[in-house]
Amino acid sequence: MQTINVNGYDMAYLDIGQGAGDGPPLVCVHGSLCDFRIWSSVLGPLTRRHRVIAPSLRHFFPDRWDGVGETYSTAQHVDDVIAFIEKLDTRPVNLMGHSRGGNICFRVAQRRPDLLRKLILAEPGGELDATLDPAYKPGPSPLAAQIAASAEAIVKGDIDGGLQIFLDALEGPGAWRRLPATPKQLLRDNATTLVGQTRDQRPLLSRADAEAITTPTLFIGGANTKGAFPRVLHALAANVKGSRTEIIPNATHPMFEQAPQKYCEIVLTYLAEN
């Protein structure tokens, strides 16, 4: 693990596979409740062909944040990822994000396409506005209500209870109970970030946002993912010019953990193309 001071914050990151190939590095941005460790199932295949750099965003493990303050937001994390890439010893980079991290990478591509070679978005999170969703209604999303209930339990000290609310809302009833011990601990290590997420005023995703992306983009989804993630993926993919979509059979939202070999095959093939 290494650290770089980014916007006044010491951002921890993994830098693996230096010397693996001559192309740009692959920067990987994790989603909610995760950190750089979430990529462990795909690091082996990816680092045989690419240098992989995986940061932990502000307030995620190894940080031990108390959930207090206004320094946790999508806007802050976008600023941090941009500054992080600017401090690397080589640019442009390939940028990959999952879930909330995919939303952050999407916004980075909007603002700083000059920093990027290719963009990979694995079921990016976010909420669609009326230009992308004809059924759009103002107000918080159903998932936002679950996040709020989860955060409330976490603030009261019921970490596992709060995480169960969140994970079962995302993956279906019983998801937390079925989760092995190691990934459970990873989520516990980042539980307080959900408290910050309840205060995050994340802007809606619009058709104009998608049309503004000029970086070559690959979307990856799980064939069995439920809820809003498939709608967001397909709405963005339909409006990002020249983008490609790959769907992994029998996988849900944590697709690269469930099908790491197929996920890596898709990513490596895409990165190898001119």
Side-chain angles (χ1 to χ4, degrees):
M1 188 185 78
Q2 304 179 52
T3 61
I4 292 180
N5 190 272
V6 172
N7 296 326
Y9 178 81
D10 289 332
M11 183 176 288
Y13 67 100
L14 303 178
D15 188 346
I16 305 172
Q18 294 195 49
D22 298 323
L26 174 62
V27 175
C28 304
V29 181
H30 63 81
S32 297
L33 282 173
C34 299
D35 54 67
F36 53 48
R37 296 173 295 175
I38 199 66
W39 302 106
S40 60
S41 59
V42 294
L43 285 179
L46 293 179
T47 55
R48 281 196 286 271
R49 301 258 297 271
H50 295 273
R51 177 187 177 192
V52 175
I53 302 172
S56 279
L57 297 172
R58 182 182 296 253
H59 296 318
F60 289 83
F61 177 90
D63 193 356
R64 299 291 182 179
W65 187 48
D66 59 7
V68 176
E70 302 300 322
T71 53
Y72 180 105
S73 68
T74 294
Q76 180 66 67
H77 289 146
V78 171
D79 287 345
D80 288 348
V81 171
I82 289 172
F84 179 83
I85 295 172
E86 287 179 326
K87 289 199 172 187
L88 296 178
D89 55 10
T90 180
R91 293 185 300 277
V93 303
N94 297 307
L95 183 63
M96 178 167 70
H98 174 245
S99 196
R100 183 176 181 274
N103 184 288
I104 290 165
C105 292
F106 178 89
R107 297 300 185 185
V108 171
Q110 262 190 293
R111 282 178 48 188
R112 293 297 305 275
D114 59 298
L115 296 176
L116 308 182
R117 174 181 174 263
K118 289 189 174 183
L119 179 66
I120 300 172
L121 303 177
E123 290 188 346
E127 297 76 36
L128 305 174
D129 76 357
T131 65
L132 288 176
D133 180 7
Y136 167 74
K137 295 180 181 178
S141 68
L143 187 57
Q146 298 297 325
I147 292 173
S150 177
E152 183 177 359
I154 289 167
V155 168
K156 292 178 179 178
D158 184 9
I159 303 296
D160 281 18
L163 293 174
Q164 179 175 347
I165 293 170
F166 178 82
L167 201 68
D168 287 5
L170 203 64
E171 289 288 303
W176 171 256
R177 177 178 49 80
R178 294 190 299 269
L179 200 66
T182 298
K184 272 185 177 177
Q185 188 57 48
L186 185 148
L187 299 180
R188 291 185 186 109
D189 289 340
N190 294 294
T192 56
T193 60
L194 274 187
V195 180
Q197 198 160 320
T198 61
R199 301 190 293 264
D200 188 3
Q201 301 298 310
R202 181 166 62 180
L204 299 176
L205 296 161
S206 71
R207 185 185 302 273
D209 293 333
E211 291 175 344
I213 300 297
T214 59
T215 303
T217 303
L218 170 67
F219 291 89
I220 309 177
N224 296 341
T225 303
K226 295 178 173 59
F229 288 110
R231 293 199 302 274
V232 172
L233 184 152
H234 291 296
L236 294 179
N239 291 280
V240 173
K241 186 177 180 180
S243 70
R244 183 188 309 176
T245 301
E246 296 278 356
I247 302 297
I248 299 178
N250 304 314
T252 61
H253 192 53
M255 66 207 73
F256 55 86
E257 294 180 290
Q258 297 171 348
Q261 184 174 346
K262 181 63 177 176
Y263 186 90
C264 289
E265 175 188 315
I266 290 169
V267 169
L268 291 171
T269 298
Y270 184 68
L271 293 180
E273 297 172 356
N274 292 326

